[in-house]
Amino acid sequence: KLEKFSVIMNFFCYFDPHCSNNIEPQNLTLVSEFHLMRVSDDPGLQPILFCLFMFVYLVTVLGNLIIILAVNSDSNLHTPMYFFLCNLSLADICFISTTVPKMIVNIQTHRKEIIYVGCLTQMSFLILFGCMDGLLLAVMAYDRFVAVCHPLHYSLIMNPRLCGSLVFLSLLVSLVDSQAHNLIALQIIYFKDVEISNFFCDPAQLLNLACFNTFINDIVMYFVGALSGLLPISGIFFSYYKIVFSILKISSSGGRYKAFSTCGSHLSVVCLFYGTAMGVYLGSAVSRSPRSTAVASLMYTVVTPMLNPFIYSLRNKDIKRAVKRFHRKIL
């Protein structure tokens, strides 16, 4: 069996110069766990990091949950815009829940291991809810486009059936994207290392650890990622292109401000989400430090979901009033 392992791995390593031909056969077994990067190796910082990430997680969950409850409790906010906002808040709660709880447990227990099945599960849900975030932002951009450019037909176009179909389509596309990455990862049997240079199971990191040529898998992964990433960005750019031209046609400055104020919160969230995500990928291409890239990835996986409720609550008077009414009801 050891001789068969050597022959198979020599064949794989022939196509991958980073996979050494001198690896011992007994080390080429199926991986049962991976080792995630620690936030800090300093024992004195562990209690501080534990409290910090726990605080961020609780604030994110409570903030998004308050938006969901406030919108549902106020009949004046039962509109397509706030229906999509509730789904975005729910996706943000699920998105941050895929990474931060595991980080908190690892900090508390001073461990960095994650089992193979747990790693694939975390990766699947991370892609699912991350893609869902991007698609919902595109759907909300379309909603703002209809509201600004076709205000008289808004209620006719954005009917409940279309709104539900758009959310369901976003979930379906995200699920396909997630499972496509999962199937690619399941094809990887042997790994060069078990150390993942990130705080969570990044699909790109897993593919880099594969001990065979992943050219075809790279093509499939980037093709699926481009579809789920470029399509929402293209939809957002097109929607705001039309919105800007419609606003410029308004003669009064007050009318322009009122029209643009309806898009301000959404535009801020779009810039925060896609700006940090693009910054991470561009930074990873320039920077040679895995830790700096991993720290930057915390921006769109942790910071962005936390700031979304504040952006919508601080810039939206309707949300402010709904939260105050909901607070009075609780009291």
Side-chain angles (χ1 to χ4, degrees):
K1 288 184 179 179
L2 293 179
E3 290 178 358
K4 288 181 179 179
F5 272 127
S6 297
V7 172
I8 293 172
M9 292 312 299
N10 284 333
F11 174 75
F12 286 147
C13 294
Y14 175 78
F15 295 99
D16 191 350
H18 300 290
C19 183
S20 174
N21 289 322
N22 297 322
I23 299 177
E24 293 296 329
Q26 58 267 27
N27 292 333
L28 301 175
T29 56
L30 295 175
V31 172
S32 60
E33 65 180 23
F34 292 99
H35 294 167
L36 300 174
M37 180 183 288
R38 288 182 177 177
V39 181
S40 174
D41 293 324
D42 187 356
L45 289 177
Q46 301 304 313
I48 299 174
L49 292 173
F50 176 81
C51 295
L52 175 64
F53 282 107
M54 180 64 77
F55 173 76
V56 169
Y57 181 67
L58 292 177
V59 167
T60 304
V61 173
L62 290 176
N64 284 284
L65 193 60
I66 287 173
I67 286 182
I68 294 172
L69 295 174
V71 170
N72 287 321
S73 65
D74 193 340
S75 59
N76 295 324
L77 299 184
H78 292 175
T79 61
M81 174 183 173
Y82 295 107
F83 171 72
F84 296 134
L85 177 59
C86 284
N87 283 277
L88 181 67
S89 296
L90 182 60
D92 281 336
I93 292 174
C94 298
F95 186 50
I96 196 173
S97 297
T98 60
T99 56
V100 175
K102 178 61 178 175
M103 292 173 60
I104 293 174
V105 171
N106 287 350
I107 292 172
Q108 180 66 18
T109 59
H110 305 286
R111 296 174 64 89
K112 60 178 183 177
E113 296 84 9
I114 182 171
I115 61 174
Y116 178 78
V117 176
C119 185
L120 292 185
T121 303
Q122 186 186 63
M123 182 193 72
S124 299
F125 282 112
L126 184 72
I127 296 171
L128 172 64
F129 296 115
C131 182
M132 186 79 176
D133 260 0
L135 291 172
L136 284 175
L137 288 174
V139 169
M140 294 174 74
Y142 174 72
D143 172 73
R144 293 299 84 205
F145 158 72
V146 176
V148 174
C149 301
H150 305 282
L152 298 179
H153 300 91
Y154 177 75
S155 58
L156 182 63
I157 297 173
M158 301 303 296
N159 56 76
R161 184 176 180 180
L162 178 63
C163 294
S165 299
L166 289 174
V167 172
F168 177 75
L169 184 62
S170 300
L171 178 61
L172 186 63
V173 173
S174 302
L175 190 61
V176 170
D177 186 17
S178 172
Q179 292 308 304
H181 283 81
N182 201 22
L183 290 174
I184 291 172
L186 285 172
Q187 294 180 16
I188 304 174
I189 302 175
Y190 301 103
F191 295 87
K192 292 177 289 188
D193 199 356
V194 294
E195 299 287 340
I196 296 178
S197 301
N198 213 325
F199 307 125
F200 53 87
C201 289
D202 188 358
Q205 294 286 340
L206 281 180
L207 207 60
N208 288 335
L209 294 178
C211 200
F212 63 90
N213 195 330
T214 59
F215 178 72
I216 296 177
N217 288 342
D218 284 340
I219 292 177
V220 175
M221 188 177 73
Y222 287 123
F223 176 74
V224 174
L227 285 179
S228 59
L230 289 178
L231 285 179
I233 294 176
S234 302
I236 291 171
F237 272 114
F238 176 78
S239 297
Y240 276 101
Y241 167 77
K242 292 291 186 179
I243 288 171
V244 169
F245 271 84
S246 296
I247 291 176
L248 292 177
K249 292 179 182 178
I250 301 174
S251 56
S252 64
S253 58
R256 290 181 182 179
Y257 175 78
K258 185 177 180 180
F260 187 76
S261 63
T262 61
C263 310
S265 300
H266 175 260
L267 191 59
S268 301
V269 173
V270 168
C271 293
L272 182 65
F273 182 78
Y274 283 106
T276 52
M278 291 178 64
V280 168
Y281 285 107
L282 292 176
S284 62
V286 176
S287 176
R288 298 290 181 180
S289 173
R291 179 164 289 276
S292 61
T293 303
V295 171
S297 67
L298 288 177
M299 284 298 296
Y300 73 94
T301 56
V302 177
V303 179
T304 302
M306 181 187 69
L307 293 180
N308 284 354
F310 294 100
I311 293 173
Y312 276 102
S313 60
L314 293 176
R315 296 181 59 89
N316 193 305
K317 295 180 180 179
D318 294 332
I319 290 291
K320 285 182 182 179
R321 285 194 293 266
V323 170
K324 288 179 181 177
R325 289 196 198 100
F326 180 70
H327 182 252
R328 285 197 295 269
K329 286 182 181 180
I330 294 176
L331 293 179

